[in-house]
Amino acid sequence: MKSYQEALAYIHGRVKSHKDATMKRMQLLMDKLGHPEQQITAIHVAGTNGKGSVVSFLRNLLSEAGLTVGTFTSPFLVRFNERISVDGVPISDDEVVRLVKRVAPIVAEIDAMMPNEGPTEFEVLTAMMFTYFAEGHADVVIVEVGIGGDNDSTNVLYPDVSVITTIGYDHMQFLGNTLSEIAKHKAGIIKPNVPVVIGNIAATPKQVILNQATELSAPIKCLGRDFSVQSRPISGWHEQFDFSDGEINTKGLKMNMMGDFQIDNASVAIEAFVTFMRLHRAPVSAKMIKQGVLNTQWAGRFEKLNDQPLVVIDGAHNLPAIKEMQKNIQNHFSDREIYIILAILADKQYLQMIETLAGLKNVHLILTEFVGPNQRMAADLSTVRAEVKSAHPIEFIANWQEAILTVSNQMGQDDGLIITGSLYFISDVRALFKH
């Protein structure tokens, strides 16, 4: 394996999943690689939505404290290498090749031991990440869960702090159809005596998490109970809020992102940061917190690409995220006409997602399609229009580039355009605008 393209082909050529969700392949991989996961200091982040934002806030907060911070995230927005980064800089193509060369022979051994049940694509990638960070490239690594928690390949980790951001309906084919079932999977990342920080979670699924934490003697901090935020009115593309956890009281925190949910995400990240720093008996200052929050940007999440007319992209890839977008439109953009171009993967609750947006009086909805990754099917939205009640007629334009062009010609200077849905779709759109 000599080239970067060959290394990527090897990774993407692995099976995507097995019917049996089990940790045995990952544990075998770690064992044969000399347990790199035990050689890093880490924070583990699970949750339905908000994981990416919390990781981003945490990275900037830890950087402000003078630490070198590794991150493991998915999916990538522009290039594959983003998934393993140090201080926000993706690893090089050469490193990807080197790591594949290191992991591939071990994967081949396991393939031989377990015919048709060998490591998956995500397990291989996770093994590459642990191998890389075990070499000492970062002081602390923030590891984002792929799907769920208990049987996710990252869950071989024994972190310093565990984080669960939100619980909502997504990936139900793997995690179950109730919030309690989904919460049980996410709570699977909780380890004995390891502190847990959780975000804005409804009472029933929250109780599942609290029970698991109690059973494992894991100290737990909950948003709204142990730490709190107070939003402050502010104009422009910002949010401002106060944070308090009894010991830390920081007023007038400002972020360059929009949405109440981002205030929640920031507060979860602050509490996780403070918990981590206390564990290491390291000082925390108001300046660190203020600067860390202010420095955080999260590409593809309600990201402004143009001012006049306003163009925003948002990877609102499931129903909870679309409901947050609905709130954002009502709170910040009720005074203008908003055009929304939407494309979604077929395995999402796309009818409810469309209904949520279609009911807004100032929203004009345009449905489109895109080519999903690894042959994952984008939802066919061509017939959905007739099934949904909407304030304005819903359009369908199969080609998403044509949809953007059509809407650009329809809208006025004071109107807004939001392009949303699958993160894979947003990645394609962002590449077009940033080209």
Side-chain angles (χ1 to χ4, degrees):
M1 205 167 306
K2 295 184 179 69
S3 75
Y4 173 69
Q5 291 308 325
E6 283 177 308
L8 282 193
Y10 170 81
I11 296 164
H12 295 323
R14 298 297 306 176
V15 65
K16 301 295 172 274
S17 63
H18 291 293
K19 281 182 184 170
D20 63 325
T22 171
M23 296 298 292
K24 64 185 178 189
R25 285 178 301 274
M26 198 62 203
Q27 283 156 347
L28 200 51
L29 251 176
M30 293 296 96
D31 192 38
K32 286 179 173 292
L33 283 164
H35 287 288
E37 83 286 5
Q38 295 175 7
Q39 296 161 47
I40 63 170
T41 300
I43 298 173
H44 202 189
V45 181
T48 304
N49 285 347
K51 293 192 296 289
S53 296
V54 167
V55 168
S56 199
F57 280 117
L58 256 175
R59 175 170 65 76
N60 284 286
L61 288 161
L62 291 161
S63 291
E64 279 302 310
L67 298 170
T68 301
V69 189
T71 49
F72 181 58
T73 55
S74 57
F76 63 91
L77 198 62
V78 180
R79 287 198 87 224
F80 173 84
N81 307 34
E82 293 166 30
R83 301 184 77 161
I84 303 171
S85 296
V86 178
D87 289 341
V89 179
I91 61 170
S92 69
D93 294 359
D94 287 345
E95 289 287 54
V96 172
V97 175
R98 181 178 70 82
L99 292 166
V100 167
K101 281 181 176 175
R102 172 78 182 93
V103 169
I106 308 290
V107 171
E109 277 182 47
I110 298 172
D111 283 344
M113 292 166 63
M114 305 167 68
N116 305 317
E117 286 184 45
T120 65
E121 177 180 355
F122 192 66
E123 286 166 347
V124 168
L125 179 58
T126 306
M128 288 167 57
M129 176 271 295
F130 282 136
T131 299
Y132 180 76
F133 286 121
E135 295 168 350
H137 300 287
D139 300 317
V140 54
V141 185
I142 311 166
V143 176
E144 183 186 320
V145 166
I147 292 176
D150 52 356
N151 289 314
D152 188 75
S153 64
T154 63
N155 204 30
V156 290
L157 190 62
Y158 206 99
D160 281 19
V161 182
S162 304
V163 178
I164 301 172
T165 57
T166 58
I167 301 292
Y169 292 106
D170 200 9
H171 300 298
M172 282 99 81
Q173 69 273 37
F174 302 113
L175 306 178
N177 293 313
T178 69
L179 291 181
S180 293
E181 286 175 298
I182 293 167
K184 187 147 183 55
H185 282 287
K186 310 281 186 195
I189 71 161
I190 298 173
K191 303 295 188 304
N193 306 305
V194 172
V196 188
V197 177
I198 69 170
N200 189 2
I201 296 171
T204 304
K206 182 195 276 185
Q207 195 55 53
V208 172
I209 296 167
L210 290 170
N211 292 347
Q212 179 78 344
T214 302
E215 202 174 305
L216 296 172
S217 304
I220 188 162
K221 298 285 182 72
C222 309
L223 174 58
R225 188 191 76 177
D226 306 295
F227 62 101
S228 61
V229 283
Q230 182 67 50
S231 178
R232 289 183 171 199
I234 189 172
S235 60
W237 203 265
H238 309 286
E239 295 288 356
Q240 194 164 357
F241 64 99
D242 303 334
F243 171 90
S244 174
D245 74 353
E247 290 182 51
I248 303 272
N249 297 290
T250 311
K251 294 187 183 299
L253 291 159
K254 192 173 169 186
M255 71 166 87
N256 291 311
M257 292 197 278
M258 193 176 276
D260 291 342
F261 64 101
Q262 290 295 17
I263 294 177
D264 287 351
N265 290 335
S267 69
V268 168
I270 294 166
E271 189 58 34
F273 165 68
V274 169
T275 302
F276 177 86
M277 296 296 278
R278 283 176 185 149
L279 271 177
H280 290 270
R281 294 182 171 79
V284 172
S285 69
K287 186 185 174 200
M288 275 178 205
I289 294 172
K290 284 190 171 180
Q291 204 56 49
V293 169
L294 188 63
N295 288 348
T296 303
Q297 298 281 6
W298 190 224
R301 306 314 200 282
F302 225 81
E303 180 186 8
K304 182 163 58 171
L305 297 183
N306 195 61
D307 261 315
Q308 260 198 313
L310 177 67
V311 178
V312 172
I313 55 171
D314 188 22
H317 60 292
N318 54 27
L319 186 56
I322 287 288
K323 286 183 173 172
E324 292 295 352
M325 180 190 289
Q326 177 193 35
K327 270 194 249 175
N328 245 357
I329 292 169
Q330 288 168 325
N331 291 344
H332 297 282
F333 304 108
S334 58
D335 59 341
R336 62 171 97 191
E337 296 301 300
I338 297 291
Y339 291 80
I340 297 180
I341 297 174
L342 179 68
I344 317 170
L345 285 171
D347 58 1
K348 302 293 179 180
Q349 298 171 290
Y350 56 84
L351 199 57
Q352 295 100 308
M353 292 165 77
I354 291 163
E355 285 170 342
T356 300
L357 296 174
L360 295 170
K361 289 185 171 57
N362 63 326
V363 161
H364 307 261
L365 205 50
I366 300 90
L367 308 178
T368 189
E369 295 172 342
F370 72 107
V371 179
N374 306 318
Q375 283 72 56
R376 282 180 77 183
M377 290 298 296
D380 177 3
L381 303 180
S382 57
T383 59
V384 167
R385 289 177 294 171
E387 301 174 48
V388 177
K389 286 183 182 174
S390 59
H392 300 278
I394 298 174
E395 289 185 66
F396 174 78
I397 302 171
N399 180 294
W400 63 265
Q401 290 98 330
E402 190 184 319
I404 292 172
L405 194 61
T406 303
V407 172
S408 301
N409 291 329
Q410 285 176 8
M411 60 191 285
Q413 280 293 99
D414 296 327
D415 299 338
L417 168 61
I418 301 174
I419 305 168
T420 189
S422 166
L423 285 163
Y424 299 104
F425 171 51
I426 293 310
S427 175
D428 291 346
V429 172
R430 194 172 190 273
L432 178 77
F433 274 85
K434 295 284 186 181
H435 190 60

